[in-house]
Amino acid sequence: MNHSTIYNNQSFQHILSVTEEIILEKGCRNTTLKDIIERSGLSKGAIYHYVESKDELFGLILQSKIEEMNEKFHMTITRSIKEGSSNQGSFSMVSQFFYSRQNAHDIGNLIFIYLLSQDNEKVRKILNDIYRYSKDTGAKWIKMGQDNGVIPANIDAEKMAKLMITFSYGLRVTQILSTEETDNVDSSDIFKVIMKTLT
């Protein structure tokens, strides 16, 4: 099934919502497809219509978070263009795209760390798909910033997207390991450092 076409499906959104609730209650490792089936009220067949495993479902939740941010980004840019306002604030979202909320209990962080701990080919493919999707989406945002004169045209969008993802992944692990709130890094600072490095 083409995952990009299912996010607007009401039944699928219900599955994602229920799964997130259970993960926040029980953690990724203790969440099972049986839990999801029971709480969602959907049949086993309905769940397996979308995914073959809970790991695949977790990967789709991560992708849905990217989709949500992508929609928000485009709405913000469209509004800025209509109002004739500066896009500088809007394009700070480029950095936010690569940097999950500074919260170790964020659902995206929990799933990301869980999937990293799994050692099998299917999960590696899921993570690789998420990486490529994130990189491609981020590169599109950077190019949009260049088209609107907010990001310098001489920056290599692909290279910058890869660097931002590298920082993002490292920060996610740091958030899980750190017990000090002061250890958190502002995503806009990272964005500025990389912009200076690449210009």
Side-chain angles (χ1 to χ4, degrees), residues 17-196:
S17 177
V18 165
T19 303
E20 289 186 33
E21 286 175 11
I22 298 171
I23 288 172
L24 290 173
E25 290 171 17
K26 300 176 69 170
C28 291
R29 198 167 302 282
N30 294 323
T31 297
T32 65
L33 282 178
K34 184 174 182 282
D35 294 330
I36 296 163
I37 290 165
E38 288 176 358
R39 184 164 310 178
S40 68
L42 297 171
S43 69
K44 185 176 180 180
I47 302 289
Y48 282 97
H49 173 70
Y50 297 109
V51 295
E52 295 178 5
S53 68
K54 79 170 188 178
D55 290 343
E56 184 182 359
L57 180 56
F58 289 177
L60 290 177
I61 290 174
L62 285 182
Q63 188 166 326
S64 75
K65 299 299 181 191
I66 298 169
E67 289 282 349
E68 286 173 15
M69 190 168 280
N70 193 33
E71 286 178 20
K72 182 178 177 185
F73 178 81
H74 283 285
M75 284 171 44
T76 303
I77 295 309
T78 301
R79 186 171 58 248
S80 294
I81 291 170
K82 281 183 180 176
E83 294 172 356
S85 58
S86 167
N87 288 331
Q88 187 65 51
S90 304
F91 282 101
S92 70
M93 288 183 64
V94 173
S95 65
Q96 294 172 25
F97 170 80
F98 296 100
Y99 182 63
S100 185
R101 297 174 193 90
Q102 293 188 11
N103 178 358
H105 301 291
D106 173 68
I107 194 76
N109 280 340
L110 295 172
I111 291 173
F112 180 74
I113 296 300
Y114 166 78
L115 290 176
L116 281 180
S117 73
Q118 304 306 297
D119 185 22
N120 67 68
E121 194 60 40
K122 284 189 176 182
V123 172
R124 275 193 290 276
K125 184 184 181 316
I126 290 167
L127 287 170
N128 186 259
D129 288 347
I130 292 294
Y131 169 79
R132 282 189 288 105
Y133 185 76
S134 298
K135 178 178 66 67
D136 292 346
T137 302
K140 286 177 188 172
W141 286 18
I142 292 163
K143 286 172 185 172
M144 191 181 291
Q146 291 171 323
D147 291 343
N148 285 270
V150 178
I151 296 175
N154 65 324
I155 285 180
D156 184 319
E158 291 286 324
K159 185 176 180 181
M160 185 171 188
K162 288 178 186 176
L163 284 172
M164 293 298 289
I165 288 173
T166 300
F167 274 100
S168 171
Y169 284 6
L171 286 168
R172 284 181 175 217
V173 174
T174 301
Q175 288 168 7
I176 298 297
L177 297 176
S178 174
T179 56
E180 299 291 329
E181 183 120 357
T182 54
D183 288 341
N184 289 333
V185 180
D186 190 317
S187 59
S188 62
D189 290 338
I190 294 170
F191 186 64
K192 287 172 189 172
V193 167
I194 293 180
M195 286 275 284
K196 286 177 183 175

